[in-house]
Amino acid sequence: MSEERSGYLRVLRLDRAQAIQLVLVGLVLALGVNLIAVFISEKVNSGLALVFGAITICLALGLALRSVYRPRPRYREFQGCVVYDRDENELVGLRSGYHLGDSIARYLEAGLAESDQIKAIWSRNPIGALLDGDESGRGDPRKGLELVRQACEYFVLRSFSTRLSKHFTSGEFAKDELATLSHIDLPDVLLENRFLRIFAEPMEDRAPFSPSEGGDDTRVVSQRGGALYEPFRLVHPKGWSVIRSAHRDIEIKTRRFVLRVQPRCEGYIATLPPLYLSHYLGLRQEIEANSERYAALRIDVSIEIAPRRAWLMTRRGWRYYRWIDRWIGDLEPQISMDAYLGEIGFATSETTLRLLDNRPGLERSFTVAEHRSDGRPAEPAVVPKSPHAPFAAGDRVEHVTFGVGRVESLEPGGVIVVRFEGDEKDHRKLMADYAPIRRIS
């Protein structure tokens, strides 16, 4: 595993341990060198020997502690995307299982449902012209891209606040050493985000919600008629601050690190596997009618961790920063499309589909493995709108991946709920996998 992908805190602490170990070894070597120096000093002027020895010691200490006092910043770059519908000027894939794409589509949908300002910006400035390289159309497509960027920024901020709140409310930290930011005292740097400003507003102050729904300050998401309420809480140690830099990225300043997060959406088109849109998102009929209708809008999220040098020498206080590696580890499969496709085994499923596409005896159906090993229903997934094979509840079926099972029910949109026999694994990650099944009884 490369240094960039290994735990960042572990690397920094290892650098410090190695530096201390090097100093101790140096002291032992110095003892032996000193014996030689005694002999040399008898042959050389004592003042010159003292100056030479001091310079040598300072040089050795500087080399040993260089990695601690001048640690290199670490950068992580995640590339994701959202699918844009040119014809309808909307984002698709609301329940695909891909966290970033689903969340941005949901945030935009909720913003359009409640905010006339967001609705005006989005409808008057369609981004399709920019994606096609033609900016002579109506409006300014970059304003539409800015909405997508802010939705991505809101996604990262919510992930950040959730990880920090979970870490600092674990019981390991005293309440008097923590501070909590809520919608009442959010800094202006965060309120510049349109989605955060709208969604964190109390329900009793918003038209789509009834007054009786007010007072809910929990982290449970409430959604009514398209509007979205997500209370925002940022728990952190006192002395930390959140600012927005001149480059518009968000900076979280702590005693030991400066964490910079910068989402970017600049109108570039990402490349997706050929069958992702048609079979995974269920857009086969639409693509056959217009192959240019959908585009994958590329989104980049960069994270920089810049250490503050002097604080890295102290042994205490590392417990305040253990969340960093865990948070970045959580983000990768949520944002990176490559990581997500690898997590759901899309390459294997795509290969299986191509091999079995024309195999006789198997009925094509746009099927979802809608179950969990603990018996709880999984979240419904979007499947192709094409009509599937005529299955009925109670049919015994065979799936090329999951084996033999029984159809429990049929859902709208071509979703087939199947419980497979002898299954002890949670197939939530594979629930939107397109694969042929056949009825065997």
Side-chain angles (χ1 to χ4, degrees):
M1 180 176 292
S2 67
E3 187 177 282
E4 290 298 322
R5 291 184 173 273
S6 60
Y8 184 43
L9 294 188
R10 185 183 65 81
V11 171
L12 288 177
R13 299 184 71 175
L14 182 61
D15 287 344
R16 181 175 64 85
Q18 289 176 338
I20 295 174
Q21 183 182 36
L22 184 58
V23 170
L24 294 177
V25 171
L27 292 176
V28 175
L29 291 175
L31 180 60
V33 172
N34 182 63
L35 298 177
I36 301 175
V38 170
F39 172 78
I40 297 177
S41 64
E42 295 178 355
K43 308 296 182 180
V44 183
N45 180 277
S46 59
L48 180 62
L50 178 62
V51 173
F52 180 76
I55 294 175
T56 304
I57 291 173
C58 291
L59 180 62
L61 288 175
L63 292 174
L65 300 177
R66 179 180 59 179
S67 62
V68 174
Y69 278 100
R70 298 196 62 183
R72 293 174 298 167
R74 297 301 197 275
Y75 301 90
R76 292 301 306 273
E77 184 89 15
F78 302 127
Q79 180 179 319
C81 65
V82 290
V83 179
Y84 176 71
D85 184 345
R86 291 181 173 91
D87 291 355
E88 300 295 333
N89 188 34
E90 64 182 15
L91 304 181
V92 299
L94 187 57
R95 288 175 293 275
S96 66
Y98 171 49
H99 289 277
L100 179 67
D102 289 357
S103 298
I104 291 180
R106 180 163 59 102
Y107 297 151
L108 182 62
E109 181 182 73
L112 292 173
E114 184 171 1
S115 171
D116 291 337
Q117 189 177 47
I118 291 179
K119 187 175 183 179
I121 294 174
W122 183 256
S123 61
R124 295 173 183 174
N125 305 281
I127 62 178
L130 183 62
L131 295 179
D132 297 331
D134 179 15
E135 300 184 49
S136 60
R138 60 188 178 92
D140 183 359
R142 288 177 177 80
K143 292 183 179 180
L145 291 176
E146 174 61 16
L147 286 180
V148 177
R149 190 201 68 81
Q150 288 193 21
C152 178
E153 183 180 81
Y154 178 68
F155 172 83
V156 176
L157 283 172
R158 282 204 59 83
S159 173
F160 176 76
S161 66
T162 300
R163 171 54 66 181
L164 253 67
S165 298
K166 182 178 180 181
H167 181 74
F168 288 112
T169 58
S170 61
E172 185 180 354
F173 306 91
K175 292 184 178 180
D176 58 359
E177 59 182 332
L178 301 176
T180 302
L181 294 178
S182 65
H183 72 278
I184 300 175
D185 46 17
L186 286 176
D188 293 339
V189 58
L190 297 182
L191 291 179
E192 290 180 16
N193 188 291
R194 298 178 186 273
F195 298 96
L196 177 57
R197 186 168 64 243
I198 294 173
F199 298 157
E201 193 70 19
M203 286 186 287
E204 61 265 24
D205 299 332
R206 296 164 61 182
F209 299 92
S210 64
S212 61
E213 294 175 306
D216 180 13
D217 58 352
T218 66
R219 299 192 63 84
V220 177
V221 175
S222 301
Q223 194 169 4
R224 299 291 186 274
L228 185 62
Y229 169 65
E230 289 188 332
F232 189 86
R233 295 288 185 274
L234 183 59
V235 181
H236 61 81
K238 293 179 179 178
W240 290 19
S241 61
V242 181
I243 66 171
R244 191 178 292 275
S245 72
H247 301 288
R248 301 183 63 196
D249 53 342
I250 293 179
E251 293 187 358
I252 297 95
K253 291 189 174 181
T254 74
R255 294 183 66 190
R256 297 191 180 187
F257 301 93
V258 176
L259 182 68
R260 298 185 179 93
V261 180
Q262 185 182 44
R264 300 186 305 278
C265 182
E266 299 169 335
Y268 300 120
I269 294 179
T271 301
L272 292 176
L275 300 183
Y276 183 81
L277 294 177
S278 61
H279 295 85
Y280 192 88
L281 295 186
L283 304 174
R284 187 172 185 176
Q285 289 183 332
E286 291 83 348
I287 292 175
E288 289 176 352
N290 180 7
S291 61
E292 302 297 327
R293 178 171 176 175
Y294 299 99
L297 181 63
R298 175 175 164 178
I299 296 177
D300 297 297
V301 178
S302 61
I303 299 175
E304 176 188 358
I305 308 174
R308 290 179 155 180
R309 300 179 182 91
W311 291 106
L312 296 178
M313 284 301 294
T314 59
R315 291 181 57 86
R316 302 179 60 184
W318 288 97
R319 63 193 180 103
Y320 291 95
Y321 305 96
R322 292 173 187 156
W323 56 269
I324 293 179
D325 292 329
R326 297 170 184 170
W327 177 55
I328 295 178
D330 290 343
L331 279 182
E332 182 169 10
Q334 294 178 4
I335 296 179
S336 171
M337 176 56 74
D338 289 340
Y340 171 69
L341 292 176
E343 188 178 61
I344 65 173
F346 185 82
T348 301
S349 300
E350 187 176 36
T351 301
T352 302
L353 176 61
R354 292 182 182 278
L355 291 173
L356 300 178
D357 195 37
N358 298 317
R359 180 181 173 185
L362 287 177
E363 301 176 29
R364 273 192 181 181
S365 64
F366 302 86
T367 305
V368 178
E370 284 288 294
H371 73 287
R372 289 171 52 93
S373 58
D374 54 12
R376 292 186 288 120
E379 181 181 357
V382 173
V383 295
K385 298 178 181 179
S386 303
H388 54 67
F391 292 98
D395 285 351
R396 188 173 172 81
V397 295
E398 182 180 12
H399 190 284
V400 296
T401 302
F402 304 134
V404 177
R406 191 172 296 278
V407 176
E408 291 193 343
S409 63
L410 303 179
E411 303 291 343
V415 176
I416 303 176
V417 181
V418 180
R419 181 175 297 278
F420 294 97
E421 299 175 358
D423 178 38
E424 298 179 355
K425 297 181 178 180
D426 184 352
H427 289 292
R428 175 189 287 267
K429 297 176 182 177
L430 300 176
M431 68 179 185
D433 174 32
Y434 170 83
I437 67 173
R438 63 173 181 172
R439 184 169 54 251
I440 58 179
S441 64

